[in-house]
Amino acid sequence: MTGFKGPNRVFSGVQPSGGMHLGNYLGAIRKFVGMQATHDCYFCVVDMHAITVFQDPKKLREQTYHVVASYLAAGIDPEKAVVLLQSAVPAHAELAWILNCVARLGWLDRMTQFKDKAGKDKERASVGLYAYPVLMAADILVYKATHVPVGEDQKQHLELARDVAGKFNREFGVADFFPLPEPLIKGPGARVMSLRDGTAKMSKSDPSEQATIYLSDDADAIARKIKKAKTDPEPLPSDVAGLEHRPEAANLVGVYSALSGRTAADVLKEFGGEGFGKFKPALADLVVEKLAPIGAELRRLEADRAYLRRVLMDGAARAAAVADKTVAEVKEIVGFVV
Ligand code: AMP
Ligand code: TRP
């Protein structure tokens, strides 16, 4: 535990690198919505993270509006939470540079997401992709955020953010200057898998459209994708232990559980012994019921660029007021002439 004395504050981010999907919703955005009433919240569109792999500039701008519209359509209230664009608040990049000089190469060498994204030819990956977790630490620490709601795949990056914060505090003799941010990961939906492969996570960059349920999908598309989802030939088991070694079945039951608010055990009590011919239509109905209203609102908001821009400009101003103060303190601490 630390003795950090600042207020509890929530920060999280989503990359504008493709269409928002069910995994983003269950692993991240739905949790954001639940926290805004009780916490001081900052929800960011991390465009500087997105360009760590090449993004077509025109698409990047579209996708940025798409993420903001998704936040709002899912229920984030920009009057309560601060909704901001990372590149519009220069303090993120300024702090990231200083933290690049605190983080160690050895720490970054262990990051599994870099290894996955860089692939075999890591000599050709961008320097930004390698330093990505340090920018993420800066995003969080520039607000001295204490809590970070994310999906399971971000766990290792959060550990790195804690390591960076701790080393900064120790090295400069400023105990508890930065909090050690806590990840909030638990809960069903922390790791939604591809509909085509139960061992790969659902992701914005999956080449198969069939693998991913997008927030913008209409009822027909959702039903079709679930009907075609890969499964095994066995009926559903009657208890959770029976889902072991059945990744596709476990994923579909997990999605049902996350969206219905029922435990997986309870869902299996109802559907255990049934084939997917019965379970899939029930799942499709549930997904449509929960996502279709968000999709409709998303399409409406996406068309209102002027409004989305206003939200981002207002958010950047409110965010900068906090972030600039931290950067000024950090400059003083590290010995820059200010
Ligand atoms: P990204 O799409 O990589 O920018 O991720 C944005 C947020 O969604 C992060 O908190 C991720 O952990 C979360 N997320 C992304 N994909 C999934 C998934 N398949 N299951 C659960 N959470 C996810
Ligand atoms: N790396 C995160 C992802 O792809 C996005 C992100 C960037 C983030 N900065 C963050 C998440 C800070 C939480 C806090 O999912």
Side-chain angles (χ1 to χ4, degrees), residues 11-15 46 49 132 136 139-140 148 150 154 157:
F11 183 95
S12 196
V14 174
Q15 300 185 67
V46 289
H49 277 104
Y132 175 120
M136 182 163 159
D139 294 338
I140 298 166
V148 184
V150 280
Q154 296 303 310
H157 289 159

Side-chain angles (χ1 to χ4, degrees), residues 12-15 21 23-24 27-28 149-154 189-192 201-202 204:
S12 196
V14 174
Q15 300 185 67
H21 55 72
N24 295 136
V150 280
E152 176 77 38
D153 60 344
Q154 296 303 310
R191 189 168 173 80
V192 178
K201 76 170 177 176
M202 187 177 281
K204 293 203 187 92

Side-chain angles (χ1 to χ4, degrees), residues 324-337:
D324 290 351
K325 184 163 170 276
T326 304
V327 167
E329 290 169 343
V330 168
K331 284 182 170 179
E332 179 79 38
I333 290 170
V334 303
F336 290 172
V337 172

Side-chain angles (χ1 to χ4, degrees), residues 228-263:
K228 288 204 179 140
K230 184 178 168 200
T231 47
D232 56 40
E234 304 296 318
L236 282 168
S238 49
D239 59 23
V240 178
L243 290 173
E244 219 181 312
H245 308 303
R246 297 182 63 186
E248 284 84 15
N251 185 42
L252 296 184
V253 170
V255 168
Y256 195 102
S257 156
L259 284 174
S260 63
R262 291 163 58 186
T263 62

